[in-house]
Amino acid sequence: MTAEPDGPEDRLRRFATIWSRAVFPVTSTSLTRPEFEERLLPLARRLSEALRARNFDAEAARAVGADLVGTHCTDPEALAHSLDCIDAYLVLYCGADGPQEDLRTRCSRLQHAMAAGFAQALRERTLAEQEAIAQAALRAQGVVAQALHASEARFRAVFEGAAIGIGIADLEGNILEVNGALVRMFGGGEQAVRGRNVSEWTHADDAPRSGGSTRNWCAANASTTTWRRPSAAPTERSCGPTSRSRCCATPTDGRSTSWR
């Protein structure tokens, strides 16, 4: 639509241009400045109509404030610049020939209502974004929990079904848990193995070397350490003349190490 020079539509567009130039630098929109001006034009028209209406309509100004948030004008400076622009130019460009005193009063009330609408819309948007973040965090937590459960299930399957003996000990070497293969290796029941210390199955001649290896592993925060030593198992048939031990957990993960 072609606006008549200095007619109501032309003056309205000039007001929208001034408004867009004042606010555009503090927006978070991907629009160009002329595109942003086109988004503000309907808002300017509603303010112009509310300014000249017979009865004051606060809801119209509130809606303009809310729509300002919808155009990505969420920075507090965007509201400040908008109110400054409306205060200085709305009556000048859209007041026509009405009584200036009444128009100024009406313009001030429109600014108050517009600020209230902007604050309410910004609050609702912030709460919605916080809720979306919380829901995303809960979904991520659920995915992590499922992955951890699957990992634990795989470890338990390997631990219990392994043909080699595997034990889990704390960093002091106290055995916390053993699989069936380790129980069969050393003989006796599970309770006879659990609660003992790994050093009890270390040959006396090899104790300094294996103990130092374990201490170095803990101090270096390594993931594994391996050594061979003569076995001090209670039965000759259970392990043979030598055994191979391997620690396979990270000491900083808490309480235990795994060895086999």
Side-chain angles (χ1 to χ4, degrees):
M1 180 176 61
T2 302
E4 179 184 351
D6 207 35
E9 185 66 22
D10 178 62
R11 296 174 69 84
L12 178 66
R13 286 186 171 274
R14 287 158 62 187
F15 170 69
T17 299
I18 295 172
W19 189 6
S20 69
R21 288 175 176 169
V23 176
F24 185 74
V26 293
T27 63
S28 303
T29 181
S30 60
L31 300 175
T32 64
R33 211 280 307 165
E35 291 172 337
F36 181 67
E37 179 182 331
E38 290 299 318
R39 294 286 296 272
L40 289 184
L41 184 59
L43 308 187
R45 180 170 284 107
R46 274 188 276 172
L47 286 176
S48 176
E49 292 171 353
L51 178 69
R52 292 178 284 102
R54 181 181 296 274
N55 297 316
F56 176 71
D57 184 7
E59 288 304 314
R62 282 178 173 270
V64 170
D67 287 346
L68 199 60
V69 174
T71 57
H72 305 288
C73 298
T74 55
D75 192 296
E77 288 298 313
L79 176 62
H81 291 186
S82 293
L83 295 180
D84 288 344
C85 181
I86 292 169
D87 183 64
Y89 298 105
L90 180 63
V91 174
L92 178 64
Y93 284 94
C94 304
D97 297 326
Q100 295 297 300
E101 186 78 21
D102 293 344
L103 291 174
R104 285 290 178 188
T105 301
R106 174 71 62 87
C107 180
S108 178
R109 296 177 66 186
L110 288 175
Q111 292 176 65
H112 295 163
M114 179 179 166
F118 180 93
Q120 179 65 24
L122 188 59
R123 178 178 180 275
E124 292 175 355
R125 175 172 175 155
T126 301
L127 292 176
E129 290 176 348
Q130 291 176 343
E131 179 64 21
I133 292 172
Q135 291 297 326
L138 288 175
R139 288 193 296 270
Q141 185 178 6
V143 171
V144 171
Q146 291 176 358
L148 179 60
H149 178 74
S151 176
E152 292 286 350
R154 288 193 299 271
F155 169 77
R156 185 56 53 184
V158 171
F159 179 78
E160 296 176 352
I164 61 173
I166 304 175
I168 299 176
D170 62 21
L171 296 180
E172 300 300 324
N174 300 310
I175 300 172
L176 304 176
E177 193 171 353
V178 295
N179 67 349
L182 192 65
V183 173
R184 292 190 298 272
M185 180 186 297
F186 287 102
E190 181 178 339
Q191 295 303 321
V193 181
R194 292 178 60 183
R196 300 180 68 176
N197 195 280
V198 175
S199 63
E200 297 179 32
W201 289 307
T202 302
H203 194 279
D205 295 339
D206 200 45
R209 181 165 60 87
S210 60
S213 180
T214 304
R215 286 192 296 272
N216 293 338
W217 169 70
C218 294
N221 202 25
S223 60
T224 63
T225 185
T226 305
W227 68 88
R228 292 181 180 273
R229 65 182 188 277
S231 174
T235 60
E236 185 178 317
R237 66 172 179 83
S238 59
C239 292
T242 63
S243 66
R244 181 175 181 272
S245 296
R246 186 183 187 189
C247 294
C248 19
T250 302
T252 54
D253 66 354
R255 315 280 181 188
S256 63
T257 65
S258 174
W259 59 276
R260 61 181 183 267

Coordinates of all heavy atoms in Angstrom, one line a residue, residues 158-168 177-184 190:
V158 N 30.1 -60.7 32.7 CA 31.5 -61.1 32.5 C 32.1 -61.6 33.9 O 32.8 -62.6 33.9 CB 32.3 -59.9 32.0 CG1 33.8 -60.3 32.0 CG2 31.9 -59.6 30.6
F159 N 31.8 -60.9 34.9 CA 32.4 -61.2 36.2 C 31.9 -62.6 36.7 O 32.7 -63.4 37.2 CB 32.0 -60.1 37.3 CG 32.5 -60.4 38.7 CD1 33.8 -60.1 39.0 CD2 31.6 -60.9 39.6 CE1 34.3 -60.3 40.3 CE2 32.1 -61.1 40.9 CZ 33.4 -60.8 41.3
E160 N 30.7 -62.8 36.6 CA 30.1 -64.1 37.1 C 30.4 -65.3 36.2 O 30.5 -66.4 36.6 CB 28.6 -64.0 37.4 CG 28.4 -63.0 38.5 CD 26.9 -62.7 38.7 OE1 26.1 -63.3 37.9 OE2 26.5 -62.1 39.7
G161 N 30.4 -65.0 34.9 CA 30.6 -66.1 33.9 C 32.0 -66.4 33.4 O 32.2 -67.3 32.6
A162 N 33.0 -65.6 33.9 CA 34.3 -65.7 33.4 C 34.9 -67.1 33.8 O 34.6 -67.6 34.9 CB 35.2 -64.6 33.9
A163 N 35.7 -67.7 33.0 CA 36.4 -68.9 33.3 C 37.6 -68.7 34.2 O 38.1 -69.6 34.8 CB 36.8 -69.6 32.0
I164 N 38.1 -67.5 34.2 CA 39.3 -67.1 35.1 C 38.7 -66.5 36.4 O 37.6 -66.0 36.4 CB 40.2 -66.1 34.4 CG1 39.5 -64.8 34.1 CG2 40.8 -66.7 33.1 CD1 40.4 -63.7 33.6
G165 N 39.6 -66.7 37.4 CA 39.1 -66.2 38.7 C 39.3 -64.6 38.7 O 40.3 -64.1 38.4
I166 N 38.3 -63.9 39.2 CA 38.3 -62.5 39.3 C 37.8 -62.1 40.7 O 36.8 -62.6 41.2 CB 37.4 -61.8 38.3 CG1 37.7 -62.2 36.8 CG2 37.4 -60.3 38.4 CD1 36.8 -61.7 35.8
G167 N 38.5 -61.2 41.3 CA 38.1 -60.7 42.6 C 38.1 -59.2 42.6 O 38.8 -58.5 41.8
I168 N 37.3 -58.6 43.5 CA 37.3 -57.1 43.6 C 37.7 -56.8 45.0 O 37.2 -57.4 46.0 CB 35.8 -56.6 43.4 CG1 35.4 -56.9 42.0 CG2 35.8 -55.1 43.6 CD1 34.0 -56.5 41.7
E177 N 34.7 -58.9 46.9 CA 33.8 -59.8 46.1 C 34.6 -60.7 45.2 O 35.7 -60.3 44.7 CB 32.8 -59.0 45.3 CG 31.7 -59.7 44.7 CD 30.6 -58.8 44.1 OE1 30.8 -57.5 44.2 OE2 29.7 -59.3 43.5
V178 N 34.2 -61.9 45.0 CA 34.9 -62.9 44.2 C 33.9 -63.6 43.3 O 32.7 -63.7 43.6 CB 35.7 -63.9 45.0 CG1 36.8 -63.2 45.7 CG2 34.8 -64.7 45.9
N179 N 34.3 -64.1 42.1 CA 33.4 -64.9 41.3 C 33.7 -66.4 41.6 O 34.6 -66.8 42.3 CB 33.6 -64.6 39.8 CG 35.0 -65.0 39.3 OD1 35.9 -65.4 40.1 ND2 35.2 -65.0 38.0
G180 N 32.8 -67.2 41.0 CA 32.9 -68.6 41.3 C 34.2 -69.3 40.9 O 34.7 -70.2 41.5
A181 N 34.8 -68.8 39.8 CA 36.0 -69.4 39.3 C 37.2 -69.2 40.3 O 38.0 -70.0 40.5 CB 36.4 -68.7 37.9
L182 N 37.2 -68.0 40.9 CA 38.2 -67.7 41.9 C 38.0 -68.6 43.2 O 39.0 -69.1 43.8 CB 38.2 -66.3 42.3 CG 39.5 -65.8 43.1 CD1 40.7 -65.9 42.3 CD2 39.3 -64.3 43.6
V183 N 36.8 -68.8 43.6 CA 36.5 -69.7 44.7 C 37.0 -71.1 44.4 O 37.6 -71.7 45.2 CB 35.0 -69.7 45.0 CG1 34.7 -70.7 46.1 CG2 34.6 -68.3 45.5
R184 N 36.7 -71.6 43.2 CA 37.2 -72.9 42.8 C 38.7 -73.0 42.8 O 39.3 -74.0 43.1 CB 36.6 -73.3 41.5 CG 35.0 -73.5 41.6 CD 34.5 -74.2 40.3 NE 34.7 -73.4 39.1 CZ 33.9 -72.4 38.7 NH1 32.8 -72.2 39.4 NH2 34.1 -71.7 37.6
E190 N 33.0 -69.4 49.4 CA 33.2 -68.0 49.1 C 33.6 -67.2 50.3 O 34.4 -66.3 50.3 CB 31.9 -67.4 48.5 CG 32.0 -66.0 48.1 CD 30.7 -65.4 47.4 OE1 29.9 -66.3 46.9 OE2 30.5 -64.2 47.5

